[in-house]
């Protein structure tokens, strides 16, 4: 739209043309509302030397050539016009003044078209000008919206209607402009080619909500029923705003998850799903789904949706929490410690939700935490009793996992109180029980003989380890009458411990050695020997010795823990002493009684060099028979 403050170029050219040329000047196009009128401004010129007495003119419709018999709109000589223009056309200008302005009234759509003017100066001085004006019959105001309307930026919208009818002028008003601003009417303005328009302006700052808004303009003519309305939809450009998205999502491991992102923008946005900077999916659309099949804990995290177009961008995030059972706990920390040291053990796992963590030892709870992924076990001063197997258990509503670990407490040897020596006939056995970690070495010292027997000397020492206990048994033969002093000494890298072993009753060690099963076997053998001797004596009718009065049972050797009913106690010591003397006298050396077998050796056959209890009893029975 151009605001005119001076005469249009049209009239300036006419003024400059006066000099003798055929020519005409009129607007190339002009418009008017149906039912109103229109004035087509026109000026023409001819050579000065012609100097006609009277000047006539003719307006033709849609063709400039008379031989084509175009409809006559106006003819000054005869006033004969085409039926379509009867009573509708008249000349406003004075032809003698070279003004050919035409007025058309009661416009109807069929009058829209091209209008040509022909000058008639008489005789052969007639000229049809090629210049013409195109009349447009309209029914709606023209609303002019800028090519780009951006939200937040002020915009000017204009309503423009033709005002080329001198007999009636339009009045303008806005429709549906509430909330946009107050209109400003500029009034009647002249255009470049001499036509006139009425203009009304509307200034406002559009928002995204105004996009697609239907704005109207109405042109009405006072004192008539003529009203014309026109509408325009606002195409407001604005940056994206994410309007639809999942809230926090929880899913069980292995399930299907669908994430939705929807954005509002003009033009439509480019939607992008991202995680940790990696593009997972993108498309130009108003909504975009991200499908995750069989989710794993690795897909747990924050997902971002980015929406962008030429006018801006927006982004939002959603957290996906994958629920799963605890992983197998891992144990980091001290697994070997020296007695008295502080031990710190860390048990950790991973799960969702966080698990209950518990550390057990022999079904006793030592430490526990709720909804934590780590558990610290602190043992300020470990003792040998802390040595052993521990369990770290993690559990939540989706499952349970456990890990076993061992704590090894290293400490100096400790010789237990059950260590002792015991005599069995001509054999002395010494038991030394040591508790230590790492495994100690054990040695038996005989100070009176200046002899040290190590556990490596298998002929004399038998050792067996069970857990933290090391049991060593020293067997000495021919020492029952004068048992020596025995000192047990144990050593490892944390220290040395020695203890003089006390002597106990001979029967205790022996029966501890042979065990309950061995005792039953020995008892059965004893009964068999007794029966055999009795039967043999009856057969041979042997006269009883004077040292054994009639009515006494024969002196048979028994263990101190077993006696046959009916044998007086007063004869027991005499029989033992007499049998030992006889054995020593017959053999010339102490009999080898091998009691060095452990409980695990019971039931095994002794070696040829071993002098077992059964053989001794059999030999003794043979001596007594002789």
């Amino acid at each position: 739209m151009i605001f005119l403050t001076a005469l249009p170029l049209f009239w300036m050219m006419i003024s400059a043309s006066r000099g003798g040329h055929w020519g005409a000047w009129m607007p190339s196009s002009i418009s008017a509302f149906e039912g109103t009128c229109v004035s087509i401004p026109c000026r023409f010129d001819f050579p000065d030397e012609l100097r006609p007495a009277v000047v006539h003119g003719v307006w033709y419709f849609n063709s400039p050539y008379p031989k084509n018999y175009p409809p006559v709109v106006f003819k000054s000589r005869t006033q004969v016009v085409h039926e379509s223009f009867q009573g509708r056309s008249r000349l406003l200008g004075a032809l003698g003044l070279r003004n050919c302005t035409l007025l058309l009234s009661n416009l109807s759509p069929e009058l829209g078209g091209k209008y040509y003017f022909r000058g008639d100066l008489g005789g052969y001085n007639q000229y049809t000008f090629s210049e013409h004006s195109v009349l447009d019959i309209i029914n709606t105001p023209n609303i002019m919206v800028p090519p780009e309307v951006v939200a937040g930026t002020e915009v000017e919208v204009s309503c423009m209607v033709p005002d080329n009818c001198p007999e009636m002028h339009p009045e303008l008003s806005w429709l549906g402009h509430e909330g946009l601003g107050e209109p400003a009417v500029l009034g009647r303005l002249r255009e470049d080619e001499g036509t006139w328009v009425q203009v009304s302006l509307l200034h406002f700052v559009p928002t995204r909500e105004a996009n697609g808004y239907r704005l109207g303009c109405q042109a009405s003519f006072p004192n008539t029923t003529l009203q014309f309305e026109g509408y325009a939809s606002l195409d407001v450009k604005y940056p994206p705003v994410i309007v639809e998205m999942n809230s926090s999502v929880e899913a069980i491991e292995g399930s299907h998850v669908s994430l939705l992102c929807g954005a509002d923008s003009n033009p439509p946005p480019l939607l992008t799903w991202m995680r940790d900077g990696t593009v997972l999916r993108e498309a130009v659309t108003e909504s975009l789904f991200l499908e995750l099949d069989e989710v794993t804990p690795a897909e747990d995290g924050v997902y971002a949706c980015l929406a962008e177009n030429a006018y801006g961008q927006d982004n939002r995030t959603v957290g996906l929490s994958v629920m799963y059972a605890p992983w197998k706990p891992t144990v980091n920390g001290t697994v070997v410690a020296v007695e008295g040291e502080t031990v710190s053990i860390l048990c950790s796992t991973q799960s969702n939700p966080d698990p209950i963590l518990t550390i057990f030892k022999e079904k006793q709870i030592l430490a526990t935490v709720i909804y934590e992924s780590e558990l610290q076990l602190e043992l300020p001063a470990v003792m040998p009793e802390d040595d052993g197997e521990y369990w770290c258990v993690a559990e939540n509503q989706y499952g349970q996992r456990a890990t076993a670990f061992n704590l090894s407490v290293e400490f100096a040897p400790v010789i237990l109180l059950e260590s002792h020596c015991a005599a069995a006939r001509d054999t002395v056995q010494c038991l030394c029980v040591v508790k230590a970690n790492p495994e100690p070495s054990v040695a038996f010292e005989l100070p009176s003989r200046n002899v040290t027997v190590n556990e490596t000397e298998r002929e004399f020492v038998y050792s067996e380890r069970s857990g933290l206990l090391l049991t060593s048994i020293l067997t000495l033969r021919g020492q029952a009458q004068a048992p020596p002093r025995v000192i047990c000494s144990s050593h490892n890298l944390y220290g040395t411990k020695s203890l003089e072993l006390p002597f106990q009753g001979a029967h205790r060690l022996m029966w501890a050695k042979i065990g309950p099963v061995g005792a039953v076997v020995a008892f059965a053998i004893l009964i068999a020997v007794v029966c055999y001797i009795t039967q043999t004596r009856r057969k041979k009718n042997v006269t009883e010795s004077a040292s054994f009065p009639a009515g006494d049972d024969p002196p048979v050797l028994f263990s101190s823990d077993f006696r046959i009913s009916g044998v007086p106690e007063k004869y027991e010591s005499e029989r033992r002493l007499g049998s030992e003397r006889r054995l020593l006298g017959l053999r010339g050396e102490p009999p080898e009684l091998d009691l060095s077998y452990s409980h695990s050796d019971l039931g095994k056959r002794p070696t040829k060099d071993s002098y077992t209890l059964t053989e001794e009893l059999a030999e003794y029975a043979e001596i007594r028979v002789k």
Side-chain angles (χ1 to χ4, degrees), residues 182-231:
E182 292 300 323
V185 178
L186 295 182
R188 192 167 184 260
L189 300 177
R190 191 171 189 176
E191 296 181 299
D192 291 342
E193 293 186 331
T195 59
W196 295 84
V197 293
Q198 284 276 1
V199 179
S200 179
L201 302 179
L202 185 63
H203 291 266
F204 61 94
V205 177
T207 62
R208 66 177 58 246
E209 291 76 18
N211 182 46
Y213 193 86
R214 197 161 180 259
L215 187 64
C217 178
Q218 183 183 78
S220 59
F221 292 85
N223 303 319
T224 70
T225 59
L226 297 176
Q227 285 186 344
F228 303 92
E229 295 179 355
Y231 291 90

Side-chain angles (χ1 to χ4, degrees), residues 65 487 498 579:
Y65 305 109
I487 298 175
S498 298
S579 63

Side-chain angles (χ1 to χ4, degrees), residues 338-350:
V338 180
E339 181 181 11
E341 287 184 346
T342 297
V343 172
S344 178
I345 297 174
L346 178 65
C347 175
S348 61
T349 186
Q350 183 175 328

Side-chain angles (χ1 to χ4, degrees), residues 216-262:
C217 178
Q218 183 183 78
S220 59
F221 292 85
N223 303 319
T224 70
T225 59
L226 297 176
Q227 285 186 344
F228 303 92
E229 295 179 355
Y231 291 90
S233 294
L234 297 179
D235 184 20
V236 181
K237 310 295 184 181
Y238 55 91
V241 174
I242 296 177
V243 296
E244 186 176 14
M245 197 168 185
N246 303 78
S247 57
S248 297
V249 177
E250 290 187 356
I252 300 175
E253 182 179 9
S255 63
H256 175 83
V257 174
S258 180
L259 302 179
L260 171 64
C261 178

Side-chain angles (χ1 to χ4, degrees), residues 422-428 449 476-484 503 506 580 590:
R425 298 195 59 200
D426 62 345
T427 301
V428 173
R449 299 186 181 182
L476 300 175
R477 298 174 179 85
Q479 305 293 331
Q481 300 301 323
F503 272 83
E580 290 173 356

Side-chain angles (χ1 to χ4, degrees), residues 314-327:
D314 190 21
N315 66 83
R316 283 178 59 184
T317 60
V318 58
L320 172 60
S321 181
V322 179
M323 318 301 284
Y324 58 97
W327 292 359

